[in-house]
């Protein structure tokens, strides 16, 4: 059948449709397909191009293969790392499940690096301690050299092929089908064919990854445009804690690609222009392995106080050559290659220029620990949106709170991918049939594409790339590592002015087949929504917590701000609400907030 010049919609029926084929989407799909359900995975890129493939350093689990360890210590570190904004029930669940799920991945085929005794190799990462035990640093991150995400993603894809998951590759999700508050499916655009598809399902799972591309410099792939959050906002729901974006301390200076924390785990360290190992001043115990917000802020201060390197004094150096070429090439081969390619530096001989770079979206679609999306209508924070689920970086469970610990995200996507799969299985048992849906439910999705393809007078167009670059620059300039009221209110104004220009945007390519300009336009719509809620949430939060560091409010304020932000867009303006942090774990005692010292 040819759809080339029509608005015809092909209608598919599945038990479940999962938007996103990263580690979270694929782990969830596996759980469901193994149970015999008819699972569709809709993904805008080929599954193995999802950003999970870029994850380097590893995945945390208290296996205790290198140092003594316990899931409770992992839980404590994660709560402390989150600056007490993480939900403690979800964190307990994740840390307890971790060892079992790492072993399961190993049995599924992930080629983890090994110790001499044959056990899984574990490296130390930032914020890992044995503070609840005998003290000292823990080695908790299970790694497949420095290509852990690659190994996990490929394994998950293969496992899904084996169990017959249906893949719709290069399909772009446009709109959630919501009827009477229940999610019934997704409208999507087949990028290669230029055709519309309606996926009707008894459960829809958003696994769309992060939104790092709202910033100018980021370690995130071009596809990390926060589409799941934007679909949720568009459905009249909220996103949570978007003001918390993690700046990774060691992106390659001026270009962004990530130099994994594993480099410091293996013994690399940071120096300033004076050759000083400055982290000793900021974090006397953990030094270069303090958590990421702490290290990023330290670098920002070094640069601000004139101790940066290079002619603009705007970066610091990551020294690794003392580790020796043999270790670097065995444990960090990818880093060696990245430094050569993007910085022209052979890191076995000289240090790598680095600076803080946007890396991870702590916020996202609000869920409970079963992956069910929460509406919070009328202040009821247990109110589940029937049929709608979210997992992975695009969700906010929230296990990372205000600052994620390295190695906890690969863990999160596997733990909650599986947990959500199990919850959906229970839901499906109550849902034998597909309900009748509104015959016109496809219209909003079609209109979203036609707004671009059927525009008039393209001649006076503002370019998508130009507006996107302006938006990214505003976010980078006004919402960076250090924030102030004056800067952020100027940033919000500039951003709102840019958002107004969206209606003047035009695309020049009106073809339906593989129209990448169209996809960029759709992604920019999503990015703009997320940038707006990020900026508004950041401006409102008058404290410093985790990745949200304010010069004008330098302290954490638990009395007023120990709460999650919920942002929605109503009548084209951003509305903020708040909800309490879940301080009560599942089985153990709560960890009350205390001063964070590394
Ligand atoms: C460079 C880098 C290194 C990292 N290293 C580590 C590490 O060592 N350890 C760690 O724990 N974490 C690490 N992280 C973080 C971690 O990799 C990610 O948080 C995690 O992999 C995200 O997985 P995901 O499944 O949620 O999303 P992703 O892997 O980003 O997948 C998103 C999926 O959604 C699909 N999608 C999105 N929008 C649409 C749409 N509109 N329509 C259809 N499909 C859509 C995409 O096609 C893709 O398949 C790293 C991140 C980066 C960027």
């Amino acid at each position: 059948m040819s759809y080339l010049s029509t608005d015809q919609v092909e209608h598919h029926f599945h038990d479940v449709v999962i938007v996103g084929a990263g580690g979270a989407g694929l782990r969830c799909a596996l759980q469901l397909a193994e149970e015999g359900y008819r699972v569709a995975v809709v993904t805008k890129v080929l599954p193995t191009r999802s950003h999970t493939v870029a994850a380097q350093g590893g995945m945390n689990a208290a296996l205790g293969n290198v140092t003594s360890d316990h899931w409770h210590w992992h839980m404590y570190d994660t709560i402390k790392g989150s600056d007490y904004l993480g939900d403690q029930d979800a964190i307990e669940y994740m840390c307890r499940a971790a060892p079992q799920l790492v072993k399961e991945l190993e049995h599924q085929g992930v080629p983890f690096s090994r110790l001499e005794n044959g056990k899984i190799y574990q490296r130390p990462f930032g914020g890992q301690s044995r503070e609840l035990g005998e003290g000292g640093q823990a080695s908790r991150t299970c790694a497949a050299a420095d290509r852990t995400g690659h190994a996990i993603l490929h394994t998950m894809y293969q496992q899904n092929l084996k169990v017959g998951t249906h893949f719709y590759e290069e399909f772009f999700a446009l709109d959630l089908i919501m009827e009477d508050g229940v999610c019934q499916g997704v409208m999507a655009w087949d990028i290669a064919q230029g055709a519309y598809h309606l996926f009707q399902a008894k459960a829809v799972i958003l696994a769309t990854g992060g939104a790092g591309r709202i910033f100018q410099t980021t370690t995130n792939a071009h596809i990390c445009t926060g589409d799941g959050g934007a679909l949720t906002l568009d459905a009249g729901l909220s996103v949570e804690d978007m003001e918390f974006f993690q700046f990774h301390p060691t992106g390659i200076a001026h270009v962004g690609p990530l130099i994994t924390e594993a480099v410091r785990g293996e013994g690399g360290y940071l120096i300033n222009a004076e050759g000083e190992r400055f982290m000793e001043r900021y974090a006397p115990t953990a030094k270069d392995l303090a958590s990421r917000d702490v290290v990023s802020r330290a670098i920002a201060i070094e640069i601000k106080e004139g101790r940066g390197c290079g002619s603009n004094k705007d970066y610091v150096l990551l020294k690794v050559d003392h580790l020796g070429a043999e270790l670097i090439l065995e444990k960090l081969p990818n880093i060696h290659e990245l430094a050569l390619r993007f910085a022209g530096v052979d890191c076995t001989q000289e240090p790598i220029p680095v600076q803080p770079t946007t890396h991870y979206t702590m916020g996202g679609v609000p869920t409970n620990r079963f992956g069910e999306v929460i509406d919070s209508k009328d202040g009821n924070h247990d109110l589940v949106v029937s049929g709608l689920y979210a997992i992975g970086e695009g969700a906010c469970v929230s296990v990372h709170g205000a600052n994620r610990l390295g190695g906890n995200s690969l863990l999160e996507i596997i733990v909650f991918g599986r947990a959500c799969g199990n919850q959906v299985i229970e839901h499906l048992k109550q849902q034998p049939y597909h309900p009748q849906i509104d015959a016109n439910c496809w219209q909003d999705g079609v209109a979203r594409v036609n707004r671009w393809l059927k525009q008039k007078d393209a001649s006076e167009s503002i370019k998508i790339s130009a507006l996107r670059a302006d938006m990214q620059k505003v976010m980078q300039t006004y919402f960076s590592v250090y924030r102030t009221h004056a800067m952020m209110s100027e940033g919000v104004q500039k951003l709102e002015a840019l958002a107004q220009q969206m209606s003047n945007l035009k695309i020049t390519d009106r073809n339906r087949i593989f129209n990448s300009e169209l996809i960029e336009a759709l992604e920019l719509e999503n990015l703009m929504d997320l940038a707006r809620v990020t900026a508004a949430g950041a401006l409102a939060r008058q404290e410093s917590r985790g990745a949200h560091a304010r010069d004008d409010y330098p302290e954490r304020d638990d009395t007023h701000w120990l709460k999650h932000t919920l942002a929605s867009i109503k009548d084209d303006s951003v509305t903020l609400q708040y909800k309490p942090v879940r301080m009560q774990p599942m089985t153990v005692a709560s960890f009350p907030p205390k001063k964070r010292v590394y």
Side-chain angles (χ1 to χ4, degrees):
M1 192 178 355
S2 164
Y3 309 91
L4 296 188
S5 59
T6 74
D7 286 346
Q8 202 170 343
V9 179
E10 189 171 344
H11 194 154
H12 306 259
F13 291 87
H14 287 272
D15 290 312
V16 184
V17 55
I18 301 176
V19 184
L26 292 186
R27 181 62 190 81
C28 189
L30 184 61
Q31 195 74 6
L32 288 154
E34 276 178 342
E35 282 293 304
Y37 289 106
R38 197 174 142 74
V39 181
V41 173
V42 170
T43 165
K44 65 180 177 178
V45 295
L46 298 181
T48 49
R49 288 184 167 250
S50 305
H51 188 63
T52 298
V53 81
Q56 301 170 354
M59 165 172 175
N60 296 340
L63 297 176
N65 287 352
V66 173
T67 56
S68 60
D69 210 351
H70 194 282
W71 65 260
H72 197 210
W73 308 352
H74 181 188
M75 176 184 172
Y76 167 72
D77 289 343
T78 303
I79 292 168
K80 177 179 170 188
S82 82
D83 222 347
Y84 297 91
L85 194 71
D87 286 338
Q88 299 196 9
D89 55 344
I91 295 176
E92 176 179 345
Y93 180 78
M94 177 175 83
C95 297
R96 286 179 85 125
Q100 181 201 336
L101 290 191
V102 165
K103 284 177 206 151
E104 186 188 86
L105 282 177
E106 184 192 30
H107 296 164
Q108 286 165 335
V110 174
F112 284 111
S113 301
R114 301 271 153 199
L115 294 163
E116 286 286 306
N117 63 10
K119 290 188 172 175
I120 291 174
Y121 168 70
Q122 294 189 283
R123 55 168 56 116
F125 246 51
Q128 297 180 354
S129 80
R130 291 179 290 162
E131 236 174 286
L132 296 189
E134 54 263 49
Q137 171 81 35
S139 281
R140 192 174 291 144
T141 305
C142 309
D146 57 356
R147 299 184 177 119
T148 316
H150 184 280
I152 291 177
L153 189 65
H154 279 257
T155 304
M156 284 297 112
Y157 185 44
Q158 287 160 5
Q159 294 288 326
N160 271 284
L161 292 177
K162 194 169 92 181
V163 290
T165 301
H166 299 259
F167 283 95
Y168 295 88
E169 295 170 0
E170 297 180 326
F171 276 54
F172 190 96
L174 295 168
D175 187 39
L176 294 176
I177 306 297
M178 300 293 297
E179 288 187 12
D180 299 325
V182 179
C183 190
Q184 309 273 22
V186 179
M187 268 294 286
W189 171 253
D190 176 352
I191 301 171
Q193 300 289 328
Y196 296 103
H197 292 256
L198 168 60
F199 291 91
Q200 190 177 342
K202 301 167 196 165
V204 173
I205 301 165
L206 298 172
T208 47
R213 284 281 153 184
I214 66 173
F215 287 90
Q216 194 175 26
T217 352
T218 172
T219 63
N220 284 195
H222 287 275
I223 54 172
C224 298
T225 50
D227 298 4
L231 288 172
T232 310
L233 287 170
D234 194 48
L237 299 164
S238 311
V239 288
E240 180 173 337
D241 288 343
M242 287 301 295
E243 63 268 38
F244 296 101
F245 266 87
Q246 177 165 79
F247 293 88
H248 195 292
T250 60
I252 296 181
H254 308 135
V255 278
L258 178 73
I259 299 295
T260 169
E261 195 165 295
V263 168
R264 283 169 286 137
E266 298 291 347
Y269 57 84
L270 293 159
I271 52 175
N272 60 21
E274 292 160 11
E276 183 205 5
R277 188 173 178 186
F278 58 88
M279 278 314 299
E280 290 178 341
R281 270 190 283 121
Y282 295 91
T285 311
K287 299 189 180 87
D288 298 81
L289 284 180
S291 75
R292 288 177 180 175
D293 53 340
V294 175
V295 183
S296 286
R297 282 200 292 276
I299 296 175
I301 293 173
E302 290 301 296
I303 292 172
K304 199 163 127 198
E305 295 183 352
R307 292 185 293 277
C309 307
S311 49
N312 293 331
K313 295 178 176 268
D314 61 353
Y315 60 84
V316 295
L317 294 170
L318 177 58
K319 193 168 147 44
V320 264
D321 54 297
H322 60 284
L323 301 178
E326 196 183 333
L327 183 141
I328 292 172
L329 295 176
E330 186 200 332
K331 300 262 176 60
L332 306 164
N334 193 31
I335 287 317
H336 182 251
E337 200 181 315
L338 282 173
L340 257 187
R341 186 169 299 179
F342 289 98
V345 160
D346 176 355
C347 67
T348 62
Q349 306 295 326
E350 48 184 331
I352 310 170
V354 292
Q355 61 188 181
T357 305
T358 321
H359 181 56
Y360 186 82
T361 314
M362 262 82 71
V365 182
T367 71
N368 58 21
R369 70 184 165 83
F370 308 105
E372 294 170 312
V373 174
I374 301 296
D375 188 349
S376 285
K377 203 182 278 164
D378 305 324
N380 177 358
H381 305 302
D382 294 318
L383 192 68
V384 163
V385 181
S386 182
L388 186 61
Y389 301 78
I391 44 174
E393 190 171 340
C396 184
V397 188
S398 127
V399 282
H400 310 304
N403 173 64
R404 171 179 76 98
L405 291 188
N408 265 357
S409 178
L410 287 179
L411 174 61
E412 174 198 4
I413 62 179
I414 297 300
V415 168
F416 293 103
R418 174 176 166 280
C420 178
N422 285 332
Q423 187 69 12
V424 171
I425 288 169
E426 293 309 310
H427 172 73
L428 292 175
K429 286 180 188 160
Q430 321 295 324
Q431 303 276 328
Y433 309 111
H434 285 93
Q436 190 80 26
I437 54 173
D438 180 352
N440 295 321
C441 67
W442 49 271
Q443 283 178 344
D444 285 354
V446 170
R448 195 174 165 199
V449 169
N450 279 345
R451 150 175 174 16
W452 298 103
L453 289 187
K454 299 194 175 168
Q455 280 169 315
K456 299 205 176 88
D457 54 44
S459 52
E460 296 169 36
S461 60
I462 304 177
K463 278 200 162 160
I464 305 282
S465 55
L467 190 63
R468 185 180 56 214
D470 287 348
M471 179 212 67
Q472 290 168 331
K473 196 157 179 226
V474 168
M475 292 307 292
Q476 193 79 24
T477 311
Y478 298 94
F479 300 91
S480 198
V481 175
Y482 276 104
R483 301 166 170 185
T484 61
H485 178 83
M487 285 294 274
M488 287 191 291
S489 32
E490 196 178 329
V492 166
Q493 276 175 19
K494 286 193 178 331
L495 197 63
E496 289 299 322
L498 292 175
Q500 293 307 315
Q501 291 184 24
M502 287 298 290
S503 54
N504 300 331
L505 279 185
K506 303 271 190 304
I507 62 173
T508 46
D509 182 358
R510 303 299 172 89
N511 283 307
R512 293 170 75 103
I513 308 291
F514 241 108
N515 185 338
S516 52
E517 197 186 5
L518 168 68
I519 298 303
E520 286 183 28
L522 297 169
E523 288 179 339
L524 182 57
E525 291 175 343
N526 296 343
L527 286 167
M528 193 62 89
D529 280 354
L530 290 176
R532 290 177 71 197
V533 292
T534 301
L539 178 61
R541 187 174 278 275
Q542 296 178 333
E543 64 159 353
S544 288
R545 184 185 295 272
H548 178 67
R550 290 188 60 156
D551 270 339
D552 44 0
Y553 294 93
E555 299 299 326
R556 193 178 73 203
D557 176 358
D558 291 323
T559 312
H560 301 102
W561 289 102
L562 184 59
K563 57 188 181 186
H564 296 291
T565 306
L566 293 173
S568 54
I569 300 183
K570 299 217 164 74
D571 302 325
D572 201 33
S573 60
V574 178
T575 307
L576 300 177
Q577 285 173 281
Y578 295 91
K579 72 170 182 182
V581 176
R582 296 172 71 92
M583 299 299 289
Q584 195 49 55
M586 292 163 61
T587 64
V588 290
S590 173
F591 288 106
K594 61 175 188 180
K595 199 165 171 51
R596 254 169 107 219
V597 186
Y598 284 101

